Amino acid sequence: MTALLSFPWLAANLPGYLQFRRALAAPERIQRVLLSGYLRRNADTAFGRAHGFAAIRSAEEYRERVPLTLWDDMAPWVDRIAAGEPGVLTRSPVRTLEPTSGSSAAAKLIPYTSELQREIRRAVAPWIVDLYGHRPRLASGSAYWSITPLALDEERTAGPVRVGFEEDSQYLGGFWSRLVDATLAVPGSVRHLRAPDAFRLATLEHLLRHRDLTVISVWHPSFLLLLMEALPRLSPEPPKRIWPRLGLISCWGDAHAALSLPELARAFPEVEIQPKGLLATEGFVTIPFAGRWPLAIRSHFFEFLPEEGGDSRFAWELEGGGIYSVVLTTGGGLYRYRLQDKVRVEGFVERTPSLRFLGKEGHVSDLRGEKLHESFVAGVLARVFERIGIAPRFAMLAPDKNQYVLYLESETVPTGLADEIDAELAANPQYRLCRALGQLAPVRLQKVGPGAYGRYLEECRRRGQRWGDVKPLALSPVGGWGEILGESVSSKFSL
């Protein structure tokens, strides 16, 4: 039944696919129309009046008159929405305040309107049709789209505005969410199982009933690897025999998540692995399409802050090879919102830029003035691991007293690895100075046992993050990971 319902799902997305294809050739026109609609519809909101939306006539004026925002800037406006005040950020009613968090576990409630749900569907449609259109045999089976379990402290309130969707499919809204639910191998009700072992066990039990599985979509690739570690307890067969028709795995594959891809390929030989692109609760930035990851040009209004500083650039102004930080304006009421994700332009699809996620901009560790950034550390680890020929299952740098520790789960650990990491970090002049002055000791290596990513994931969840919000980090700005990552994997994840 799930396989049969894949075809109505594809047909429903076909118009959005065709519209996206046409939009790729005209990013400036599409983006200007989107922004004009936001300004016109929301001119009489509290935010719109405060920032003079009614008098803004162009993208250039919008950039000049409305300041860039971070979550701290938006939070007071969202608090007013949560208290029941209408017309704060959008004229359209806020249907849900969806909880999310960054890697620092700071709680955020993202306003979801019907407009934002339409914008998400505009990104999902071309992705889905392109995926199945180029691989038609995948449409003849069932699919597993990873479900995000509830956070430990996440509650569904009965206040003026609902907090949180009941099911992940509700991001799409109405008819679309019901159609998606009917095609899935694992029901959305599984997300209400808060114990990690119960959640994984229920997920595996449902997947084992679907021998026709053709597509798996997860967030971090290590989540799927954790599922496969538990598989022998439920079935003696290897994944290839259980799901002989499995043809594609969609997962994060950029920045630090790329380290897990070699092991995923070994676990699922002959299965295509497709990096997802850049998606967030706040909005879709890029999607897999035509072998690249073009900007979701019909979904939101985008700006990009150049690495070298200066005014933001619009989507039609980006240059090949350029590195930028993403800024969003959405139908949910986020205006010039800094997502703090760094991307690089790696070509174009028609005239629309194709972007690669490099890492989080806001994650900085600064013990002694060295100011190490997440994206810089991710590049260091990737270069060193490639040079010495290892593919760790888990690798994260974190501060500890007066030095940095590389927590590493790897079958082989070459001699001198910590020294190589330390030398590469010295490309940062502040780090180099701190080392020269003796303010920082050399990098120390700490090997961790099997299942380190699972322990990291559970610790983030214990601190209030949802699994779907936990981004793979090359650098943690906080210490204290030695004891957590060194625990026995069986103590928390036995099934």
Side-chain angles (χ1 to χ4, degrees), residues 245-314:
R245 295 167 59 187
L246 181 62
L248 184 134
I249 296 171
S250 169
C251 61
W252 282 329
D254 296 329
H256 199 53
L259 292 180
S260 297
L261 296 186
E263 184 176 359
L264 191 64
R266 289 194 295 270
F268 293 90
E270 302 176 14
V271 176
E272 178 184 355
I273 298 174
Q274 181 189 70
K276 277 188 185 299
L278 179 51
L279 320 176
T281 304
E282 293 88 341
F284 276 50
V285 180
T286 65
I287 61 171
F289 187 88
R292 289 184 177 272
W293 290 265
L295 191 64
I297 202 72
R298 296 186 65 240
S299 293
H300 320 296
F301 181 75
F302 296 97
E303 298 173 71
F304 299 86
L305 302 176
E307 189 177 42
E308 63 272 16
D311 287 343
S312 68
R313 307 263 183 96
F314 301 123

Side-chain angles (χ1 to χ4, degrees), residues 88-243:
V88 177
L89 294 171
T90 60
R91 293 302 303 170
S92 180
V94 173
R95 302 165 67 94
T96 300
L97 292 169
E98 179 63 6
T100 186
S101 57
S103 296
S104 61
K108 298 183 285 187
L109 293 174
I110 306 302
Y112 263 70
T113 62
S114 57
E115 282 85 358
L116 181 55
Q117 288 175 313
R118 280 196 293 270
E119 291 171 359
I120 289 176
R121 293 198 298 267
R122 290 176 194 158
V124 170
W127 176 14
I128 293 297
V129 175
D130 182 78
L131 189 156
Y132 287 110
H134 288 90
R135 309 162 186 84
R137 66 183 183 85
L138 299 183
S140 64
S142 57
Y144 169 54
W145 296 83
S146 180
I147 295 165
T148 304
L150 299 177
L152 293 175
D153 60 351
E154 190 174 329
E155 296 180 356
R156 298 296 184 256
T157 67
V161 181
R162 183 178 67 178
V163 174
F165 291 118
E166 291 295 331
E167 309 291 349
D168 285 1
S169 61
Q170 290 178 352
Y171 282 98
L172 299 176
F175 157 78
W176 297 83
S177 64
R178 293 191 295 274
L179 186 57
V180 170
D181 284 339
T183 69
L184 299 182
V186 179
S189 58
V190 169
R191 78 191 299 254
H192 295 276
L193 298 172
R194 300 196 175 203
D197 55 350
F199 175 81
R200 291 189 179 90
L201 179 60
T203 298
L204 277 173
E205 287 177 338
H206 282 289
L207 290 176
L208 286 171
R209 297 179 193 139
H210 286 268
R211 298 269 173 161
D212 68 334
L213 191 70
T214 57
V215 174
I216 290 177
S217 175
V218 295
W219 297 108
H220 195 285
S222 290
F223 173 74
L224 182 55
L225 292 170
L226 285 173
L227 282 180
M228 293 306 103
E229 284 181 3
L231 185 60
R233 300 167 185 249
L234 300 180
S235 172
E237 296 182 285
K240 189 172 182 178
R241 285 193 177 181
I242 298 173
W243 303 292

Side-chain angles (χ1 to χ4, degrees), residues 86 107 156 316 351 426 441 461:
R156 298 296 184 256
W316 60 90
R351 295 183 179 180
R461 187 170 182 263

